[in-house]
Amino acid sequence: MTLNEMVAIFVWTGAGAVLLVVLMAVDSLFTRYKDLEEIKKGNVAVTSRFVMKLLAQAYILSQSISTSNHLGEALLVSVISFVILLLVESLVEFVLRSTAGLDLSEGTKDNKLSHALLAGSLHVAGALIIGSCL
């Protein structure tokens, strides 16, 4: 491994980590609760959902990095994928609220793990689908 390759690993990893922090902060703006506050309180449901979303975004980022020759392209693909997942999550949550009376966000805030796992699994499934397209 050359010095340039080692530096590239450091730069790509650092940029990816920064992007994940930004994406998770943006995601927190779209929840009806404050993720970090709930995690500090010991809300296992919020923590589970947060971890699943983080893993989903990390998977998409890993796929975009592995298929891209340019860091900017990989980061842009990850941002676009994040927006797609956010829109799909909003649509599915709306449909579940409207048709089944199931409010995943409220249930997650109320520490209902079943709600959080369903919400998080939407992101994991979406990440797997998006990742396969990259």
Side-chain angles (χ1 to χ4, degrees), residues 39-75:
I39 290 169
K40 286 178 190 176
K41 291 179 189 176
N43 188 323
V44 176
V46 169
T47 304
S48 298
R49 177 192 168 274
F50 187 89
V51 168
M52 291 175 79
K53 288 190 80 163
L54 179 61
L55 290 173
Q57 284 305 134
Y59 177 73
I60 289 172
L61 180 60
S62 74
Q63 291 299 102
S64 66
I65 287 172
S66 71
T67 60
S68 182
N69 292 323
H70 302 286
L71 178 59
E73 178 186 5
L75 299 177

PDB file of all heavy atoms in Angstrom, residues 39-75:
ATOM      1  N   ILE A  39     -32.225   9.431  23.713  1.00  0.00           N
ATOM      2  CA  ILE A  39     -31.170   8.439  23.933  1.00  0.00           C
ATOM      3  C   ILE A  39     -30.559   8.629  25.314  1.00  0.00           C
ATOM      4  O   ILE A  39     -30.320   7.660  26.036  1.00  0.00           O
ATOM      5  CB  ILE A  39     -30.110   8.520  22.807  1.00  0.00           C
ATOM      6  CG1 ILE A  39     -30.709   8.016  21.487  1.00  0.00           C
ATOM      7  CG2 ILE A  39     -28.858   7.734  23.168  1.00  0.00           C
ATOM      8  CD1 ILE A  39     -29.861   8.292  20.265  1.00  0.00           C
ATOM      9  N   LYS A  40     -30.325   9.889  25.707  1.00  0.00           N
ATOM     10  CA  LYS A  40     -29.790  10.176  27.049  1.00  0.00           C
ATOM     11  C   LYS A  40     -30.724   9.683  28.140  1.00  0.00           C
ATOM     12  O   LYS A  40     -30.278   9.247  29.205  1.00  0.00           O
ATOM     13  CB  LYS A  40     -29.562  11.681  27.234  1.00  0.00           C
ATOM     14  CG  LYS A  40     -28.364  12.211  26.503  1.00  0.00           C
ATOM     15  CD  LYS A  40     -28.257  13.715  26.725  1.00  0.00           C
ATOM     16  CE  LYS A  40     -27.236  14.339  25.828  1.00  0.00           C
ATOM     17  NZ  LYS A  40     -27.183  15.801  25.977  1.00  0.00           N
ATOM     18  N   LYS A  41     -32.035   9.746  27.899  1.00  0.00           N
ATOM     19  CA  LYS A  41     -33.028   9.283  28.878  1.00  0.00           C
ATOM     20  C   LYS A  41     -33.085   7.761  28.957  1.00  0.00           C
ATOM     21  O   LYS A  41     -33.750   7.209  29.818  1.00  0.00           O
ATOM     22  CB  LYS A  41     -34.425   9.789  28.507  1.00  0.00           C
ATOM     23  CG  LYS A  41     -34.627  11.265  28.647  1.00  0.00           C
ATOM     24  CD  LYS A  41     -36.063  11.603  28.208  1.00  0.00           C
ATOM     25  CE  LYS A  41     -36.312  13.061  28.100  1.00  0.00           C
ATOM     26  NZ  LYS A  41     -37.661  13.366  27.585  1.00  0.00           N
ATOM     27  N   GLY A  42     -32.421   7.093  28.011  1.00  0.00           N
ATOM     28  CA  GLY A  42     -32.448   5.637  28.008  1.00  0.00           C
ATOM     29  C   GLY A  42     -33.561   5.045  27.172  1.00  0.00           C
ATOM     30  O   GLY A  42     -33.916   3.874  27.341  1.00  0.00           O
ATOM     31  N   ASN A  43     -34.105   5.822  26.254  1.00  0.00           N
ATOM     32  CA  ASN A  43     -35.182   5.336  25.395  1.00  0.00           C
ATOM     33  C   ASN A  43     -34.599   4.332  24.388  1.00  0.00           C
ATOM     34  O   ASN A  43     -33.955   4.703  23.413  1.00  0.00           O
ATOM     35  CB  ASN A  43     -35.852   6.508  24.676  1.00  0.00           C
ATOM     36  CG  ASN A  43     -37.087   6.114  23.920  1.00  0.00           C
ATOM     37  OD1 ASN A  43     -37.163   5.043  23.339  1.00  0.00           O
ATOM     38  ND2 ASN A  43     -38.073   7.011  23.911  1.00  0.00           N
ATOM     39  N   VAL A  44     -34.827   3.059  24.651  1.00  0.00           N
ATOM     40  CA  VAL A  44     -34.269   1.990  23.826  1.00  0.00           C
ATOM     41  C   VAL A  44     -34.868   2.005  22.422  1.00  0.00           C
ATOM     42  O   VAL A  44     -34.183   1.714  21.442  1.00  0.00           O
ATOM     43  CB  VAL A  44     -34.474   0.615  24.508  1.00  0.00           C
ATOM     44  CG1 VAL A  44     -33.985  -0.517  23.620  1.00  0.00           C
ATOM     45  CG2 VAL A  44     -33.765   0.585  25.846  1.00  0.00           C
ATOM     46  N   ALA A  45     -36.122   2.366  22.305  1.00  0.00           N
ATOM     47  CA  ALA A  45     -36.767   2.404  20.993  1.00  0.00           C
ATOM     48  C   ALA A  45     -36.110   3.461  20.106  1.00  0.00           C
ATOM     49  O   ALA A  45     -35.760   3.179  18.955  1.00  0.00           O
ATOM     50  CB  ALA A  45     -38.261   2.667  21.138  1.00  0.00           C
ATOM     51  N   VAL A  46     -35.931   4.659  20.619  1.00  0.00           N
ATOM     52  CA  VAL A  46     -35.299   5.723  19.843  1.00  0.00           C
ATOM     53  C   VAL A  46     -33.863   5.334  19.497  1.00  0.00           C
ATOM     54  O   VAL A  46     -33.411   5.520  18.368  1.00  0.00           O
ATOM     55  CB  VAL A  46     -35.340   7.070  20.604  1.00  0.00           C
ATOM     56  CG1 VAL A  46     -34.453   8.108  19.927  1.00  0.00           C
ATOM     57  CG2 VAL A  46     -36.766   7.584  20.712  1.00  0.00           C
ATOM     58  N   THR A  47     -33.158   4.763  20.449  1.00  0.00           N
ATOM     59  CA  THR A  47     -31.779   4.333  20.198  1.00  0.00           C
ATOM     60  C   THR A  47     -31.728   3.274  19.113  1.00  0.00           C
ATOM     61  O   THR A  47     -30.881   3.329  18.210  1.00  0.00           O
ATOM     62  CB  THR A  47     -31.137   3.801  21.494  1.00  0.00           C
ATOM     63  OG1 THR A  47     -31.222   4.810  22.509  1.00  0.00           O
ATOM     64  CG2 THR A  47     -29.690   3.421  21.269  1.00  0.00           C
ATOM     65  N   SER A  48     -32.636   2.321  19.152  1.00  0.00           N
ATOM     66  CA  SER A  48     -32.668   1.248  18.148  1.00  0.00           C
ATOM     67  C   SER A  48     -32.937   1.813  16.763  1.00  0.00           C
ATOM     68  O   SER A  48     -32.265   1.459  15.784  1.00  0.00           O
ATOM     69  CB  SER A  48     -33.731   0.217  18.504  1.00  0.00           C
ATOM     70  OG  SER A  48     -33.433  -0.380  19.739  1.00  0.00           O
ATOM     71  N   ARG A  49     -33.905   2.691  16.659  1.00  0.00           N
ATOM     72  CA  ARG A  49     -34.217   3.309  15.370  1.00  0.00           C
ATOM     73  C   ARG A  49     -33.036   4.109  14.866  1.00  0.00           C
ATOM     74  O   ARG A  49     -32.657   4.027  13.698  1.00  0.00           O
ATOM     75  CB  ARG A  49     -35.437   4.216  15.494  1.00  0.00           C
ATOM     76  CG  ARG A  49     -35.771   4.936  14.198  1.00  0.00           C
ATOM     77  CD  ARG A  49     -36.812   6.044  14.439  1.00  0.00           C
ATOM     78  NE  ARG A  49     -36.926   6.904  13.290  1.00  0.00           N
ATOM     79  CZ  ARG A  49     -36.153   7.968  13.055  1.00  0.00           C
ATOM     80  NH1 ARG A  49     -35.192   8.287  13.890  1.00  0.00           N
ATOM     81  NH2 ARG A  49     -36.333   8.715  11.992  1.00  0.00           N
ATOM     82  N   PHE A  50     -32.418   4.880  15.745  1.00  0.00           N
ATOM     83  CA  PHE A  50     -31.266   5.707  15.381  1.00  0.00           C
ATOM     84  C   PHE A  50     -30.116   4.839  14.853  1.00  0.00           C
ATOM     85  O   PHE A  50     -29.520   5.147  13.814  1.00  0.00           O
ATOM     86  CB  PHE A  50     -30.814   6.515  16.602  1.00  0.00           C
ATOM     87  CG  PHE A  50     -29.739   7.525  16.309  1.00  0.00           C
ATOM     88  CD1 PHE A  50     -30.077   8.806  15.914  1.00  0.00           C
ATOM     89  CD2 PHE A  50     -28.400   7.202  16.446  1.00  0.00           C
ATOM     90  CE1 PHE A  50     -29.094   9.745  15.652  1.00  0.00           C
ATOM     91  CE2 PHE A  50     -27.409   8.135  16.178  1.00  0.00           C
ATOM     92  CZ  PHE A  50     -27.761   9.416  15.775  1.00  0.00           C
ATOM     93  N   VAL A  51     -29.833   3.762  15.553  1.00  0.00           N
ATOM     94  CA  VAL A  51     -28.749   2.858  15.140  1.00  0.00           C
ATOM     95  C   VAL A  51     -29.059   2.221  13.790  1.00  0.00           C
ATOM     96  O   VAL A  51     -28.187   2.135  12.912  1.00  0.00           O
ATOM     97  CB  VAL A  51     -28.496   1.784  16.224  1.00  0.00           C
ATOM     98  CG1 VAL A  51     -27.603   0.669  15.709  1.00  0.00           C
ATOM     99  CG2 VAL A  51     -27.894   2.420  17.467  1.00  0.00           C
ATOM    100  N   MET A  52     -30.302   1.792  13.588  1.00  0.00           N
ATOM    101  CA  MET A  52     -30.672   1.183  12.312  1.00  0.00           C
ATOM    102  C   MET A  52     -30.553   2.191  11.163  1.00  0.00           C
ATOM    103  O   MET A  52     -30.088   1.847  10.074  1.00  0.00           O
ATOM    104  CB  MET A  52     -32.080   0.602  12.383  1.00  0.00           C
ATOM    105  CG  MET A  52     -32.173  -0.614  13.302  1.00  0.00           C
ATOM    106  SD  MET A  52     -33.854  -1.221  13.493  1.00  0.00           S
ATOM    107  CE  MET A  52     -34.036  -2.132  11.972  1.00  0.00           C
ATOM    108  N   LYS A  53     -30.951   3.427  11.404  1.00  0.00           N
ATOM    109  CA  LYS A  53     -30.819   4.454  10.371  1.00  0.00           C
ATOM    110  C   LYS A  53     -29.351   4.755  10.094  1.00  0.00           C
ATOM    111  O   LYS A  53     -28.959   4.940   8.943  1.00  0.00           O
ATOM    112  CB  LYS A  53     -31.550   5.722  10.781  1.00  0.00           C
ATOM    113  CG  LYS A  53     -33.063   5.565  10.708  1.00  0.00           C
ATOM    114  CD  LYS A  53     -33.752   6.876  10.867  1.00  0.00           C
ATOM    115  CE  LYS A  53     -33.686   7.560   9.537  1.00  0.00           C
ATOM    116  NZ  LYS A  53     -34.626   8.656   9.377  1.00  0.00           N
ATOM    117  N   LEU A  54     -28.541   4.806  11.136  1.00  0.00           N
ATOM    118  CA  LEU A  54     -27.109   5.047  10.960  1.00  0.00           C
ATOM    119  C   LEU A  54     -26.465   3.925  10.147  1.00  0.00           C
ATOM    120  O   LEU A  54     -25.695   4.180   9.215  1.00  0.00           O
ATOM    121  CB  LEU A  54     -26.421   5.189  12.319  1.00  0.00           C
ATOM    122  CG  LEU A  54     -24.921   5.417  12.296  1.00  0.00           C
ATOM    123  CD1 LEU A  54     -24.571   6.712  11.569  1.00  0.00           C
ATOM    124  CD2 LEU A  54     -24.375   5.432  13.716  1.00  0.00           C
ATOM    125  N   LEU A  55     -26.809   2.692  10.468  1.00  0.00           N
ATOM    126  CA  LEU A  55     -26.271   1.560   9.715  1.00  0.00           C
ATOM    127  C   LEU A  55     -26.737   1.580   8.264  1.00  0.00           C
ATOM    128  O   LEU A  55     -25.966   1.265   7.339  1.00  0.00           O
ATOM    129  CB  LEU A  55     -26.653   0.240  10.388  1.00  0.00           C
ATOM    130  CG  LEU A  55     -25.970  -0.041  11.722  1.00  0.00           C
ATOM    131  CD1 LEU A  55     -26.548  -1.287  12.368  1.00  0.00           C
ATOM    132  CD2 LEU A  55     -24.466  -0.166  11.545  1.00  0.00           C
ATOM    133  N   ALA A  56     -27.987   1.950   8.041  1.00  0.00           N
ATOM    134  CA  ALA A  56     -28.508   2.034   6.673  1.00  0.00           C
ATOM    135  C   ALA A  56     -27.740   3.086   5.875  1.00  0.00           C
ATOM    136  O   ALA A  56     -27.322   2.840   4.741  1.00  0.00           O
ATOM    137  CB  ALA A  56     -30.005   2.353   6.686  1.00  0.00           C
ATOM    138  N   GLN A  57     -27.524   4.250   6.468  1.00  0.00           N
ATOM    139  CA  GLN A  57     -26.776   5.303   5.782  1.00  0.00           C
ATOM    140  C   GLN A  57     -25.319   4.896   5.569  1.00  0.00           C
ATOM    141  O   GLN A  57     -24.739   5.180   4.518  1.00  0.00           O
ATOM    142  CB  GLN A  57     -26.848   6.610   6.563  1.00  0.00           C
ATOM    143  CG  GLN A  57     -28.164   7.323   6.439  1.00  0.00           C
ATOM    144  CD  GLN A  57     -28.584   7.593   5.014  1.00  0.00           C
ATOM    145  OE1 GLN A  57     -29.731   7.353   4.655  1.00  0.00           O
ATOM    146  NE2 GLN A  57     -27.706   8.085   4.167  1.00  0.00           N
ATOM    147  N   ALA A  58     -24.737   4.233   6.557  1.00  0.00           N
ATOM    148  CA  ALA A  58     -23.346   3.784   6.417  1.00  0.00           C
ATOM    149  C   ALA A  58     -23.223   2.751   5.302  1.00  0.00           C
ATOM    150  O   ALA A  58     -22.243   2.757   4.544  1.00  0.00           O
ATOM    151  CB  ALA A  58     -22.843   3.212   7.738  1.00  0.00           C
ATOM    152  N   TYR A  59     -24.210   1.888   5.174  1.00  0.00           N
ATOM    153  CA  TYR A  59     -24.185   0.893   4.100  1.00  0.00           C
ATOM    154  C   TYR A  59     -24.248   1.581   2.732  1.00  0.00           C
ATOM    155  O   TYR A  59     -23.479   1.244   1.822  1.00  0.00           O
ATOM    156  CB  TYR A  59     -25.332  -0.105   4.251  1.00  0.00           C
ATOM    157  CG  TYR A  59     -25.368  -1.099   3.114  1.00  0.00           C
ATOM    158  CD1 TYR A  59     -24.417  -2.112   3.035  1.00  0.00           C
ATOM    159  CD2 TYR A  59     -26.308  -0.989   2.106  1.00  0.00           C
ATOM    160  CE1 TYR A  59     -24.422  -3.005   1.968  1.00  0.00           C
ATOM    161  CE2 TYR A  59     -26.323  -1.875   1.043  1.00  0.00           C
ATOM    162  CZ  TYR A  59     -25.380  -2.884   0.977  1.00  0.00           C
ATOM    163  OH  TYR A  59     -25.385  -3.755  -0.068  1.00  0.00           O
ATOM    164  N   ILE A  60     -25.137   2.534   2.589  1.00  0.00           N
ATOM    165  CA  ILE A  60     -25.239   3.257   1.324  1.00  0.00           C
ATOM    166  C   ILE A  60     -23.925   3.986   1.034  1.00  0.00           C
ATOM    167  O   ILE A  60     -23.421   3.959  -0.094  1.00  0.00           O
ATOM    168  CB  ILE A  60     -26.420   4.248   1.341  1.00  0.00           C
ATOM    169  CG1 ILE A  60     -27.739   3.479   1.298  1.00  0.00           C
ATOM    170  CG2 ILE A  60     -26.328   5.227   0.173  1.00  0.00           C
ATOM    171  CD1 ILE A  60     -28.957   4.333   1.500  1.00  0.00           C
ATOM    172  N   LEU A  61     -23.356   4.617   2.049  1.00  0.00           N
ATOM    173  CA  LEU A  61     -22.087   5.313   1.872  1.00  0.00           C
ATOM    174  C   LEU A  61     -20.990   4.339   1.450  1.00  0.00           C
ATOM    175  O   LEU A  61     -20.214   4.620   0.540  1.00  0.00           O
ATOM    176  CB  LEU A  61     -21.693   6.050   3.150  1.00  0.00           C
ATOM    177  CG  LEU A  61     -20.379   6.825   3.112  1.00  0.00           C
ATOM    178  CD1 LEU A  61     -20.410   7.894   2.023  1.00  0.00           C
ATOM    179  CD2 LEU A  61     -20.098   7.441   4.470  1.00  0.00           C
ATOM    180  N   SER A  62     -20.953   3.165   2.068  1.00  0.00           N
ATOM    181  CA  SER A  62     -19.931   2.178   1.713  1.00  0.00           C
ATOM    182  C   SER A  62     -20.099   1.713   0.269  1.00  0.00           C
ATOM    183  O   SER A  62     -19.121   1.540  -0.458  1.00  0.00           O
ATOM    184  CB  SER A  62     -19.955   0.987   2.670  1.00  0.00           C
ATOM    185  OG  SER A  62     -21.066   0.151   2.423  1.00  0.00           O
ATOM    186  N   GLN A  63     -21.343   1.531  -0.158  1.00  0.00           N
ATOM    187  CA  GLN A  63     -21.596   1.114  -1.535  1.00  0.00           C
ATOM    188  C   GLN A  63     -21.226   2.225  -2.516  1.00  0.00           C
ATOM    189  O   GLN A  63     -20.655   1.958  -3.567  1.00  0.00           O
ATOM    190  CB  GLN A  63     -23.062   0.724  -1.719  1.00  0.00           C
ATOM    191  CG  GLN A  63     -23.453  -0.546  -1.003  1.00  0.00           C
ATOM    192  CD  GLN A  63     -22.658  -1.737  -1.503  1.00  0.00           C
ATOM    193  OE1 GLN A  63     -21.719  -2.185  -0.881  1.00  0.00           O
ATOM    194  NE2 GLN A  63     -23.035  -2.249  -2.644  1.00  0.00           N
ATOM    195  N   SER A  64     -21.554   3.459  -2.172  1.00  0.00           N
ATOM    196  CA  SER A  64     -21.243   4.561  -3.084  1.00  0.00           C
ATOM    197  C   SER A  64     -19.732   4.786  -3.175  1.00  0.00           C
ATOM    198  O   SER A  64     -19.216   5.084  -4.250  1.00  0.00           O
ATOM    199  CB  SER A  64     -21.977   5.844  -2.684  1.00  0.00           C
ATOM    200  OG  SER A  64     -21.533   6.325  -1.451  1.00  0.00           O
ATOM    201  N   ILE A  65     -19.026   4.604  -2.068  1.00  0.00           N
ATOM    202  CA  ILE A  65     -17.570   4.735  -2.092  1.00  0.00           C
ATOM    203  C   ILE A  65     -16.947   3.619  -2.924  1.00  0.00           C
ATOM    204  O   ILE A  65     -16.041   3.854  -3.725  1.00  0.00           O
ATOM    205  CB  ILE A  65     -16.993   4.751  -0.663  1.00  0.00           C
ATOM    206  CG1 ILE A  65     -17.299   6.091   0.012  1.00  0.00           C
ATOM    207  CG2 ILE A  65     -15.491   4.487  -0.675  1.00  0.00           C
ATOM    208  CD1 ILE A  65     -16.940   6.147   1.480  1.00  0.00           C
ATOM    209  N   SER A  66     -17.443   2.404  -2.760  1.00  0.00           N
ATOM    210  CA  SER A  66     -16.835   1.272  -3.472  1.00  0.00           C
ATOM    211  C   SER A  66     -17.075   1.322  -4.976  1.00  0.00           C
ATOM    212  O   SER A  66     -16.332   0.705  -5.734  1.00  0.00           O
ATOM    213  CB  SER A  66     -17.339  -0.054  -2.890  1.00  0.00           C
ATOM    214  OG  SER A  66     -18.687  -0.268  -3.217  1.00  0.00           O
ATOM    215  N   THR A  67     -18.100   2.042  -5.411  1.00  0.00           N
ATOM    216  CA  THR A  67     -18.392   2.103  -6.848  1.00  0.00           C
ATOM    217  C   THR A  67     -18.001   3.432  -7.473  1.00  0.00           C
ATOM    218  O   THR A  67     -18.238   3.628  -8.655  1.00  0.00           O
ATOM    219  CB  THR A  67     -19.889   1.859  -7.110  1.00  0.00           C
ATOM    220  OG1 THR A  67     -20.658   2.861  -6.434  1.00  0.00           O
ATOM    221  CG2 THR A  67     -20.314   0.482  -6.641  1.00  0.00           C
ATOM    222  N   SER A  68     -17.407   4.330  -6.705  1.00  0.00           N
ATOM    223  CA  SER A  68     -17.094   5.663  -7.208  1.00  0.00           C
ATOM    224  C   SER A  68     -15.587   5.871  -7.280  1.00  0.00           C
ATOM    225  O   SER A  68     -14.833   5.374  -6.447  1.00  0.00           O
ATOM    226  CB  SER A  68     -17.713   6.711  -6.287  1.00  0.00           C
ATOM    227  OG  SER A  68     -17.462   7.998  -6.783  1.00  0.00           O
ATOM    228  N   ASN A  69     -15.176   6.650  -8.250  1.00  0.00           N
ATOM    229  CA  ASN A  69     -13.770   7.017  -8.379  1.00  0.00           C
ATOM    230  C   ASN A  69     -13.470   8.382  -7.772  1.00  0.00           C
ATOM    231  O   ASN A  69     -12.316   8.746  -7.628  1.00  0.00           O
ATOM    232  CB  ASN A  69     -13.360   7.021  -9.858  1.00  0.00           C
ATOM    233  CG  ASN A  69     -13.370   5.635 -10.446  1.00  0.00           C
ATOM    234  OD1 ASN A  69     -13.006   4.671  -9.786  1.00  0.00           O
ATOM    235  ND2 ASN A  69     -13.806   5.536 -11.688  1.00  0.00           N
ATOM    236  N   HIS A  70     -14.525   9.121  -7.445  1.00  0.00           N
ATOM    237  CA  HIS A  70     -14.351  10.470  -6.924  1.00  0.00           C
ATOM    238  C   HIS A  70     -15.110  10.616  -5.609  1.00  0.00           C
ATOM    239  O   HIS A  70     -16.268  10.209  -5.498  1.00  0.00           O
ATOM    240  CB  HIS A  70     -14.848  11.507  -7.923  1.00  0.00           C
ATOM    241  CG  HIS A  70     -14.146  11.422  -9.251  1.00  0.00           C
ATOM    242  ND1 HIS A  70     -12.861  11.853  -9.432  1.00  0.00           N
ATOM    243  CD2 HIS A  70     -14.549  10.934 -10.438  1.00  0.00           C
ATOM    244  CE1 HIS A  70     -12.496  11.637 -10.675  1.00  0.00           C
ATOM    245  NE2 HIS A  70     -13.508  11.073 -11.313  1.00  0.00           N
ATOM    246  N   LEU A  71     -14.458  11.210  -4.636  1.00  0.00           N
ATOM    247  CA  LEU A  71     -15.057  11.391  -3.316  1.00  0.00           C
ATOM    248  C   LEU A  71     -16.338  12.208  -3.398  1.00  0.00           C
ATOM    249  O   LEU A  71     -17.350  11.853  -2.793  1.00  0.00           O
ATOM    250  CB  LEU A  71     -14.056  12.064  -2.371  1.00  0.00           C
ATOM    251  CG  LEU A  71     -14.535  12.362  -0.962  1.00  0.00           C
ATOM    252  CD1 LEU A  71     -14.970  11.086  -0.248  1.00  0.00           C
ATOM    253  CD2 LEU A  71     -13.448  13.072  -0.166  1.00  0.00           C
ATOM    254  N   GLY A  72     -16.321  13.282  -4.149  1.00  0.00           N
ATOM    255  CA  GLY A  72     -17.512  14.132  -4.267  1.00  0.00           C
ATOM    256  C   GLY A  72     -18.710  13.376  -4.803  1.00  0.00           C
ATOM    257  O   GLY A  72     -19.834  13.551  -4.327  1.00  0.00           O
ATOM    258  N   GLU A  73     -18.468  12.529  -5.788  1.00  0.00           N
ATOM    259  CA  GLU A  73     -19.548  11.726  -6.357  1.00  0.00           C
ATOM    260  C   GLU A  73     -20.122  10.765  -5.309  1.00  0.00           C
ATOM    261  O   GLU A  73     -21.344  10.635  -5.178  1.00  0.00           O
ATOM    262  CB  GLU A  73     -19.029  10.930  -7.553  1.00  0.00           C
ATOM    263  CG  GLU A  73     -20.062  10.035  -8.189  1.00  0.00           C
ATOM    264  CD  GLU A  73     -19.473   9.152  -9.288  1.00  0.00           C
ATOM    265  OE1 GLU A  73     -18.251   9.166  -9.504  1.00  0.00           O
ATOM    266  OE2 GLU A  73     -20.264   8.429  -9.912  1.00  0.00           O
ATOM    267  N   ALA A  74     -19.242  10.127  -4.562  1.00  0.00           N
ATOM    268  CA  ALA A  74     -19.692   9.183  -3.533  1.00  0.00           C
ATOM    269  C   ALA A  74     -20.533   9.896  -2.476  1.00  0.00           C
ATOM    270  O   ALA A  74     -21.581   9.391  -2.049  1.00  0.00           O
ATOM    271  CB  ALA A  74     -18.494   8.497  -2.883  1.00  0.00           C
ATOM    272  N   LEU A  75     -20.100  11.072  -2.056  1.00  0.00           N
ATOM    273  CA  LEU A  75     -20.838  11.817  -1.041  1.00  0.00           C
ATOM    274  C   LEU A  75     -22.175  12.309  -1.591  1.00  0.00           C
ATOM    275  O   LEU A  75     -23.194  12.251  -0.889  1.00  0.00           O
ATOM    276  CB  LEU A  75     -19.998  12.984  -0.519  1.00  0.00           C
ATOM    277  CG  LEU A  75     -18.672  12.603   0.162  1.00  0.00           C
ATOM    278  CD1 LEU A  75     -17.903  13.854   0.570  1.00  0.00           C
ATOM    279  CD2 LEU A  75     -18.886  11.687   1.349  1.00  0.00           C
TER     280      LEU A  75
END
